[in-house]
Amino acid sequence: MLLLRFLGSTALSLFGYLGQLMFLMLETVRSLLTTPIRWRLALHQILEVGYRSQLVVIVTGGFTGAVFAAQTYFQFHRLSMDTAVGAVVAVSMFRELGPVLTGLMVAGRVGAAMSAEIGTMKVTEQLDALRSLGVHPVDYLVAPRAIAMMISMPLLVAECVGIGIKAGQFVAVKLMGVAEVYYVNYMEKFTALRDLEMALTKGFVFGILIVFVACNEGLRSKEGAVGVGRATTEAVVIGSLLILVVNFFLTMILNIFFPGGR
Amino acid sequence: MLSVKGLTKQIGEQQILRGIDLEVDAGETLVIIGRSGSGKSVLLKHLIGLMTPTSGQVYIEGKQIVGLKERQLLPLRKTVGMMFQGCALFDAMTVQENIAFPLREAGERDPKIIHDKVAQALEVVDLTGHEQKMPVNLSGGMKKRVALARVVITRPHCVLYDEPTAGLDPVVSDSINHLIRRLQKRFGVTSIVVTHDMKCAAYVADKVAYLHEGAIYFYGAFDELLASDDPLIQDFIEGRSGDSD
Ligand SMILES: Nc1ncnc2c1ncn2[C@@H]1O[C@H](COP(=O)(O)OP(=O)(O)O)[C@@H](O)[C@H]1O
Ligand SMILES: [Mg+2]
């Protein structure tokens, strides 16, 4: 009985939360369609979230690709399938590791920054000041950030995947001594444009998740430094969890449009 | 110009406003005084729709604003400016950008006009030379004056001031009082000034409302307030807590 009630209230608050996100998304879509887009702010955000996230994404992609190639090699070598390592690394990076890891890293770096910034504006009455000057906070704060994320995330994912594949190749060819021609040949044979399309689509969706969770947390942040801290933590935790959960369903759905394998 | 009828506000269990009726005519200055926590800031925020009342009506230039959507309120707010208690300067912008912000939002694109108007506003509040400073590097009094310049640069018909002189030295307070008065005299700006600075009230008030526990306890001219023999009002004016050592 207690368990049922617990599940019930959890489900209710989950739906409530998703409702908040939907509401914010609709308001943003309306803003994008009916008010002039603030490109200067959007560009600033692209610089902030896209350009400045690159180091994090490069390190993540590079070392993930490298370690994944090494592990795959250790297993495949026993079966004398050395040259298949590249194909496995590439497909995994494109379809899962690249988008998910980039998403998680950006949720941490950018989601936290956005929710803290907007939350601070909320508790210092800067949001009220915006409104009192006739400016809708969604137009001024959320819409430019949403544009920036929708542009930046696919590019960051592509960068992560590219670096990961290169790093994997370096480990397999230079350190493990796999024949490069075969390695590259197999990799190209088993990857296709649809893998890239899947990576970019996932990046785009994760970008939307991160930006709306972070902005929603900031806009609803409670008074004081404690409120902002809480909003920041929740933006990162909820953003990351949503990415992992949505990733599963996205994989299932996207497999219909961009089927894996050959 | 501005009026409220039967305004109540409850947040959670707390009844913050309990039925407020007020009317401010065009060009008039109403001073709202009252102890901390009596609901003055909350009342001001209702006047431009930053908060939604539990019940009651708010009228801006004859138009009822309660129940309007945020996007419908935005154009109305351009006629009523508000100076916040904590100044609420945009901390990502310089002084210059803060003051230029309302002009840009009003559609002004010409950098020369913006520059000139900002320079003029800074001169009025005596901050020439501080254009490029960030708000974090300003003293309390400077912040207040930047906030004032930002509010009045677009010449709103009505300005709401939330404790414009709180925490300032007497000289700066005096200059802000003069500014409020000058705006009213020269441009016919309707003003509502929330304060517990009696000097400020004495200087700018046409009418005074004393807010006590979320209701208007006294309404009248400043002289009537001084002449009142109500103990509650006397204590407030004299600054007596009723405690003894
Ligand atoms: N957003 C809010 N949520 C809950 N309570 C609030 C909020 N804003 C103000 N209050 C409460 O309303 C009361 C009046 O606050 P306020 O209007 O700021 O007082 P003051 O007259 O000093 O400006 C206080 O008790 C305050 O705690
Ligand atoms: Mg106050």
Side-chain angles (χ1 to χ4, degrees), chain B residues 40-75:
Chain B
K40 304 182 298 294
S41 298
V42 169
L43 173 59
L44 276 198
K45 286 189 182 175
H46 280 87
L47 295 179
I48 48 171
L50 293 178
M51 290 177 106
T52 321
T54 308
S55 69
Q57 274 101 48
V58 178
Y59 299 86
I60 296 179
E61 297 187 327
K63 194 167 167 37
Q64 218 279 113
I65 65 159
V66 176
L68 291 187
K69 299 225 169 65
E70 182 74 12
R71 289 203 186 273
Q72 299 171 304
L73 283 168
L74 296 176

Side-chain angles (χ1 to χ4, degrees), chain A residues 65 68-70 72-73 76 81-94 161 164-173 178-191:
Chain A
F68 197 62
T72 312
Y73 172 82
F76 279 22
M81 287 170 59
D82 299 8
T83 48
V85 170
V88 173
V89 171
V91 170
S92 320
M93 281 306 292
F94 269 121
V161 171
I165 289 174
K166 279 287 157 215
Q169 188 172 340
F170 176 82
V171 168
V173 173
V178 180
E180 181 151 27
V181 188
Y182 292 111
Y183 185 95
V184 173
N185 188 295
Y186 268 118
M187 193 166 78
E188 281 171 358
K189 204 164 153 193
F190 280 95
T191 50

Side-chain angles (χ1 to χ4, degrees), chain A:
Chain A
M1 202 49 219
L2 215 60
L3 182 72
L4 265 182
R5 193 179 297 163
F6 173 74
L7 286 178
S9 68
T10 310
L12 269 185
S13 60
L14 182 68
F15 280 119
Y17 193 83
L18 293 180
Q20 285 177 13
L21 287 186
M22 282 309 289
F23 188 79
L24 186 59
M25 282 187 205
L26 287 178
E27 193 61 53
T28 309
V29 169
R30 177 188 306 179
S31 164
L32 291 175
L33 295 179
T34 62
T35 63
I37 294 176
R38 294 163 187 266
W39 284 110
R40 213 174 56 86
L41 294 176
L43 276 176
H44 177 76
Q45 288 297 325
I46 289 176
L47 195 74
E48 218 32 67
V49 308
Y51 185 68
R52 302 229 161 90
S53 294
Q54 288 188 88
L55 180 64
V56 170
V57 166
I58 288 171
V59 172
T60 308
F63 280 93
T64 306
V67 81
F68 197 62
Q71 285 289 6
T72 312
Y73 172 82
F74 297 147
Q75 304 299 322
F76 279 22
H77 183 60
R78 286 189 283 180
L79 307 169
S80 308
M81 287 170 59
D82 299 8
T83 48
V85 170
V88 173
V89 171
V91 170
S92 320
M93 281 306 292
F94 269 121
R95 294 192 155 246
E96 298 298 339
L97 294 175
V100 170
L101 291 175
T102 307
L104 292 178
M105 295 313 285
V106 173
R109 192 185 165 277
V110 173
M114 280 184 183
S115 54
E117 188 181 356
I118 297 179
T120 305
M121 290 184 74
K122 163 95 187 273
V123 303
T124 53
E125 293 185 319
Q126 291 178 60
L127 290 188
D128 281 344
L130 267 184
R131 295 167 67 204
S132 81
L133 294 168
V135 179
H136 200 298
V138 168
D139 297 352
Y140 192 78
L141 297 170
V142 184
R145 283 170 171 76
I147 291 177
M149 283 296 257
M150 289 190 280
I151 294 175
S152 304
M153 266 301 281
L155 295 177
L156 288 173
V157 168
E159 188 171 15
C160 178
V161 171
I163 300 279
I165 289 174
K166 279 287 157 215
Q169 188 172 340
F170 176 82
V171 168
V173 173
K174 300 278 190 248
L175 302 186
M176 310 294 176
V178 180
E180 181 151 27
V181 188
Y182 292 111
Y183 185 95
V184 173
N185 188 295
Y186 268 118
M187 193 166 78
E188 281 171 358
K189 204 164 153 193
F190 280 95
T191 50
L193 188 63
R194 54 176 188 250
D195 293 314
L196 177 64
E197 286 165 344
M198 182 138 175
L200 297 185
T201 310
K202 280 187 169 181
F204 184 78
V205 173
F206 295 164
I208 289 177
L209 287 178
I210 294 167
V211 74
F212 285 111
V213 168
C215 289
N216 185 55
E217 288 297 329
L219 292 172
R220 286 170 188 275
S221 143
K222 294 278 187 310
E223 302 303 303
V226 178
V228 177
R230 215 187 144 87
T232 310
T233 313
E234 294 202 335
V236 176
V237 173
I238 295 175
S240 305
L241 289 181
L242 266 183
I243 284 174
L244 293 173
V245 174
V246 168
N247 180 53
F248 172 73
F249 293 102
L250 213 51
T251 299
M252 295 321 228
I253 294 167
L254 288 180
N255 246 311
I256 300 169
F257 297 104
F258 311 124
R262 303 197 60 219

Side-chain angles (χ1 to χ4, degrees), chain B residues 11 14 16 35-42 85:
Chain B
I11 300 182
Q14 192 188 3
I16 298 173
R35 305 267 304 274
S36 268
S38 55
K40 304 182 298 294
S41 298
V42 169
Q85 188 167 358

